[in-house]
Amino acid sequence: MTVSLVSHGHGGPQGLVDGLLARLSTSAAPWIDRVILTQNLPEVEPSPPPGGWAFTLDLRRNSAPLGFGANHNRALAGATTPYLAILNPDLAWCQPPWPALTRSLEREAGAGLAYPVLLNADGSVQDNQRAVLTPAALWRRRVLGRPEARVDWVSAAFWLLRREAFEQLGGFDERYRMYCEDTDFCLRLRLAGWDMARADGAVVTHAAQRATFRSAWHLCQHLVSLARLWSGPVLRDYCRRFP
């Protein structure tokens, strides 16, 4: 597989990138062929372990920051491996997740995307799989506190994709610079005839930042992306196809 990892200043003193690269290196064989690290902000180059990385590390530095989807689209353009992995820097695991994830895709021929069980830092299960983002669904979840009744999209904190599915969709819609790009992708994936599969045997800890609830700027970006999703044809077509 080819792994795409984007750092927004997560290297250096934070150590998130170096820690994740070390975990990827120890769990690489026979799964990982290449890791593409995109530094979206200026930071130091990661230090290889003794003996070097267990994969080809392709380091890219942006002259100006790009959005989530644009970074991963550029990183994965031209990849030739059967599987593509999209990872956030703030991930950790005790057991390599790759066997369970690849088995999920191999077992379900129509699955274009597999994802692990994500845990919060306190060990609780993270809400990374959710119902379609309609105003009614947000009201039920945020105001009424009701659990999700269905899974229409999955957070892109950790995805394993069939390359053919990613290429069929043309990757992420880059008009979503921040937020909802994973929602839009999952809806288009389902509309294109692909399914999503949760690999229960893969358990990963994700130190989610939840910046929307702490920053007015992030909240504004989230609302802009929601407005684009709600006013566009993808959500409308999805709701008609999967009422």
Side-chain angles (χ1 to χ4, degrees):
M1 68 185 68
T2 301
V3 177
S4 177
L5 170 64
V6 179
S7 176
H8 306 274
H10 292 99
Q14 289 197 52
L16 293 178
V17 170
D18 284 44
L20 181 56
L21 286 174
R23 280 184 286 275
L24 290 172
S25 193
T26 57
S27 67
W31 314 101
I32 303 173
D33 176 66
R34 183 177 173 216
V35 174
I36 302 167
L37 170 61
T38 302
Q39 294 182 334
N40 208 32
L41 296 173
E43 60 185 83
V44 298
E45 184 173 337
S47 302
W53 306 109
F55 42 70
T56 299
L57 180 63
D58 183 349
L59 179 61
R60 304 183 183 185
R61 297 181 175 91
N62 287 343
S63 57
L66 297 175
F68 180 94
N71 275 313
H72 287 297
N73 283 350
R74 283 155 180 71
L76 296 173
T80 58
T81 54
Y83 299 129
L84 310 174
I86 291 174
L87 276 65
N88 276 9
D90 49 357
L91 297 170
W93 54 79
C94 294
Q95 297 295 326
W98 315 115
L101 288 165
T102 53
R103 279 198 303 269
S104 293
L105 290 180
E106 292 167 356
R107 186 169 54 243
E108 302 182 33
L113 184 160
Y115 59 99
V117 177
L118 288 187
L119 302 180
N120 294 306
D122 62 4
S124 59
V125 178
Q126 201 167 105
D127 59 341
N128 65 312
Q129 48 180 18
R130 299 177 183 173
V132 65
L133 273 172
T134 61
L138 285 177
W139 176 268
R140 287 192 297 270
R141 177 156 57 92
R142 293 296 181 192
V143 179
L144 301 180
R146 295 178 181 173
E148 303 287 6
R150 50 192 273 178
V151 177
D152 297 300
W153 68 280
V154 180
S155 164
F158 194 136
W159 283 356
L160 183 66
L161 296 147
R162 292 187 191 273
R163 177 171 53 86
E164 58 186 299
F166 189 79
E167 291 177 345
Q168 181 182 345
L169 269 63
F172 290 99
D173 183 341
E174 297 183 15
R175 292 175 296 176
Y176 294 94
R177 180 175 176 83
M178 184 182 294
Y179 302 111
C180 295
E181 57 277 282
D182 45 6
T183 308
D184 170 82
F185 184 94
C186 289
L187 301 188
R188 291 190 290 119
L189 186 78
R190 296 286 309 284
L191 287 170
W194 296 95
D195 291 323
M196 302 179 296
R198 188 172 91 156
D200 290 329
V203 180
V204 175
T205 300
H206 175 220
Q209 297 294 314
R210 308 286 188 186
T212 296
F213 305 109
R214 296 182 288 102
S215 162
W217 185 84
H218 283 89
L219 176 60
C220 181
Q221 294 298 311
H222 206 158
L223 292 174
V224 167
S225 292
L226 280 173
R228 178 180 295 280
L229 180 71
W230 289 343
S231 62
V234 172
L235 181 59
R236 182 175 61 248
D237 293 347
Y238 185 87
C239 290
R240 288 174 179 169
R241 176 94 169 266
F242 304 99

